[in-house]
Amino acid sequence: MPAPVPVGQQRSAPRAAAWQTLFDAVAALSRRYERLCAAYGGPLLLLALAAFAASRVFVWSLMVPGDVPYYARYAYEARVAHQQGATIYEHFYPPDTWPKTVEYPPLAVDLLALVGRLVPPAVDPDDFTRSFSTAFHTLIFGLDLVTLAAVVAYRLRRRTPLSAVVAGVVTYTLAGLVLKNFLYSRLDVLLGQLLALALVLMIAPGRRTLVSSAVLSVAVAFKLVPVLLIPIWLVGALHATPASLAALTRELARKGAAMAAVVLLPWVVFGLRLGEDAISFLRIHAARGIHIESSWGTVTVLLSKVGLPVSVELFRSYDVESSLSSSFAALAPAVLAGGCALIYGLYFRQARRMAPAPGIDGGSVAQRDPELFKLAMLATVVFSLAASTVLSPQYLLWLLPLGLLMPWGLSHGRSWGLVSHPVLLILAFLTALIVPKFYTSDVLRLTWFGTTLLTLRNAGIVLYAALLIAYLARYRRMSPAEPPLRPLES
């Protein structure tokens, strides 16, 4: 007589069967898609590229104002200040309680001033704004096309499976179309493009670690968030073979010193040119509260449904004020630091386990397993979104160019990419519903519908970050993770 099955196992059996059915369905669809790409990959890629070009021309033609009038004011004030022999920090007076305070880092301000220099002089600020808007949208549009072309060319040169290349282009196209209200009217997509460029330089064959670090330093100077990626870059730059602790310590110290010098160099230049004004933008960010669109803001809004007194206040963006605001503001940096430390530790542990890879023996950790490097990088960026007290809708644009480089497949080394493509599209769709569709009518009024949208989107970001960290902890390397560069066949 067979032994009785425990009650717990009886209850979990249907659940396990349901998950297995779902996995089998996804696996079948993935294999069918891969077979389709194997047979018709070239035409499918051309079709995806044509759809990308058409969609981006459409988004550019909309000329969505967004933050562009605000950027135009920076450019206009920078031009006037230059004519008077002053800096924008001496001339710029925002209409609030922060005189002589500029919201953006110096590199972003310099970029806006440069775009303003391309605009013909105009006495009327409104005429200047219209001309600036056209120039700004066209610049971002052009850089978008260059980014896609460069990444696709790199992946084809690397003999990346066409299923991954096509999926990346489709995700990039659809997510950009969904986020059309922000794509070319915000600076943030430039940050994603810089991160994608730094990533490609880091994993490509050859000694490009210093160049990649220089691009990362530009990203840090453009927006401070990429400073969280420096430990990932440091581990990725390590030679994969140091066996002794002493050799590892020496290499960490040497590469860490070089990377610190590269990252700090722009700030030294800004400091010499601007003095303490170079970091004046930090005053505004230090004074920010709990942004209503952040995960912490969502928790606050949910607690308001069970009696917590909450108010919505405007300070550069809409914040939620409650008796828990100061506690959340103090807790958030600790959560961010702890989560990032976990990601760094997991990546370092995986790197120490790494065996030499065929074809690139002696390469860096990032070159020996590009998929692992991409995973650690993406986990860090997504977790920073999940843990931050400020989460604007355009921050999702940081992830879009990275989507072009995600893998596709069911193997353990690539399956995180298979999950990431639909997750990015879902997060983009929910973000587009929150802003601008229901922002004023529901989100700011704290209705149940607006709260549900915020909860779904931010829970998705938190779960996605947790999933990427879990993938990183259980990562098993492909053999090889990404094929070494081979000459193109005629």
Side-chain angles (χ1 to χ4, degrees):
M1 181 176 179
V5 179
V7 175
Q9 294 184 15
Q10 293 177 8
R11 293 176 177 173
S12 63
R15 190 182 310 157
W19 279 112
Q20 186 63 44
T21 301
L22 177 62
F23 176 82
D24 291 342
V26 172
L29 287 173
S30 177
R31 292 191 183 99
R32 184 174 299 179
Y33 166 70
E34 290 173 13
R35 288 195 296 268
L36 184 65
C37 287
Y40 306 103
L44 285 175
L45 179 58
L46 290 176
L47 184 62
L49 291 173
F52 167 82
S55 70
R56 290 309 202 253
V57 169
F58 167 71
V59 174
W60 173 83
S61 69
L62 296 176
M63 292 287 169
V64 177
D67 281 355
V68 177
Y70 189 49
Y71 298 156
R73 184 180 176 208
Y74 272 88
Y76 186 81
E77 296 288 346
R79 170 177 283 186
V80 173
H82 178 72
Q83 292 171 349
Q84 297 177 354
T87 68
I88 189 175
Y89 299 89
E90 298 166 326
H91 189 267
F92 190 78
Y93 287 84
D96 53 26
T97 58
W98 295 89
K100 296 188 179 180
T101 299
V102 176
E103 183 178 355
Y104 302 106
L107 184 60
V109 175
D110 289 343
L111 175 63
L112 296 177
L114 178 62
V115 177
R117 298 279 180 87
L118 302 176
V119 175
V123 177
D124 186 354
D126 292 336
D127 291 339
F128 180 87
T129 299
R130 284 189 290 269
S131 299
F132 178 90
S133 177
T134 301
F136 183 86
H137 282 87
T138 303
L139 173 65
I140 306 299
F141 171 61
L143 292 174
D144 196 18
L145 296 180
V146 170
T147 298
L148 178 100
V151 172
V152 169
Y154 162 77
R155 300 202 84 186
L156 292 177
R157 177 102 178 138
R158 293 279 287 161
R159 292 290 192 270
T160 303
L162 284 177
S163 57
V165 180
V166 173
V169 174
V170 170
T171 299
Y172 192 53
T173 300
L174 292 178
L177 193 58
V178 170
L179 295 174
K180 62 183 182 297
N181 289 302
F182 317 108
L183 186 62
Y184 294 156
S185 63
R186 301 292 198 279
L187 287 167
D188 295 80
V189 71
L190 295 180
L191 179 65
Q193 292 165 355
L194 286 170
L195 293 180
L197 176 59
L199 169 58
V200 167
L201 289 169
M202 194 69 177
I203 63 178
R207 296 182 177 275
R208 297 185 176 89
T209 300
L210 192 60
V211 180
S212 175
S213 300
V215 176
L216 183 65
S217 75
V218 173
V220 172
F222 191 74
K223 203 173 187 77
L224 278 181
V225 172
V227 75
L228 298 173
L229 293 171
I230 291 176
I232 301 296
W233 249 250
L234 181 58
V235 174
L238 290 174
H239 193 279
T241 56
S244 68
L245 180 61
L248 177 62
T249 302
R250 284 195 300 270
E251 188 169 8
L252 277 172
R254 179 172 60 85
K255 292 188 180 296
M259 198 166 295
V262 170
V263 171
L264 289 174
L265 180 60
W267 295 99
V268 173
V269 175
F270 294 142
L272 293 174
R273 179 164 66 95
L274 302 171
E276 66 177 21
D277 286 335
I279 57 173
S280 64
F281 69 97
L282 294 175
R283 291 203 295 266
I284 287 180
H285 297 284
R288 279 183 158 176
I290 306 297
H291 193 198
I292 191 171
E293 295 172 60
S294 68
S295 302
W296 302 97
T298 300
V299 172
T300 304
V301 173
L302 286 172
L303 290 175
S304 73
K305 302 301 181 183
V306 293
L308 179 69
V310 166
S311 63
V312 178
E313 307 290 342
L314 176 62
F315 178 81
R316 299 283 174 169
S317 57
Y318 286 97
D319 299 335
V320 283
E321 297 292 335
S322 73
S323 58
L324 296 176
S325 294
S326 58
S327 299
F328 285 167
L331 183 61
V335 172
L336 179 62
C340 287
L342 174 62
I343 294 170
Y344 304 153
L346 290 173
Y347 183 46
F348 183 73
R349 185 186 70 173
Q350 296 288 4
R352 290 288 288 165
R353 293 175 175 177
M354 192 174 293
I360 48 175
D361 190 38
S364 68
V365 166
Q367 290 171 331
R368 293 190 175 207
D369 197 340
E371 305 301 347
L372 177 60
F373 184 79
K374 295 176 193 176
L375 176 57
M377 177 186 180
L378 185 63
T380 304
V381 176
V382 175
F383 186 79
S384 72
L385 297 180
S388 175
T389 56
V390 178
L391 179 56
S392 296
Q394 64 267 22
Y395 291 0
L396 225 62
L397 297 177
W398 305 349
L399 305 178
L400 262 59
L402 301 181
L404 285 169
L405 289 156
M406 289 177 184
W408 182 280
L410 292 168
S411 58
H412 195 84
R414 300 181 190 268
S415 56
W416 64 268
L418 185 64
V419 173
S420 294
H421 288 288
V423 167
L424 279 182
L425 292 176
I426 293 171
L427 293 178
F429 175 72
L430 290 172
T431 298
L433 287 180
I434 292 170
V435 181
K437 187 69 174 176
F438 297 105
Y439 195 64
T440 303
S441 62
D442 290 275
V443 175
L444 295 183
R445 294 176 183 271
L446 307 183
T447 68
W448 272 109
F449 180 69
T451 301
T452 301
L453 285 177
L454 281 177
T455 303
L456 288 174
R457 198 277 305 272
N458 290 337
I461 293 176
V462 171
L463 291 175
Y464 183 35
L467 184 64
L468 292 173
I469 293 173
Y471 269 112
L472 186 60
R474 302 177 58 190
Y475 185 86
R476 288 197 305 273
R477 185 179 174 214
M478 290 287 293
S479 182
E482 190 162 343
L485 183 66
R486 298 192 297 267
L488 288 175
E489 298 175 1
S490 56

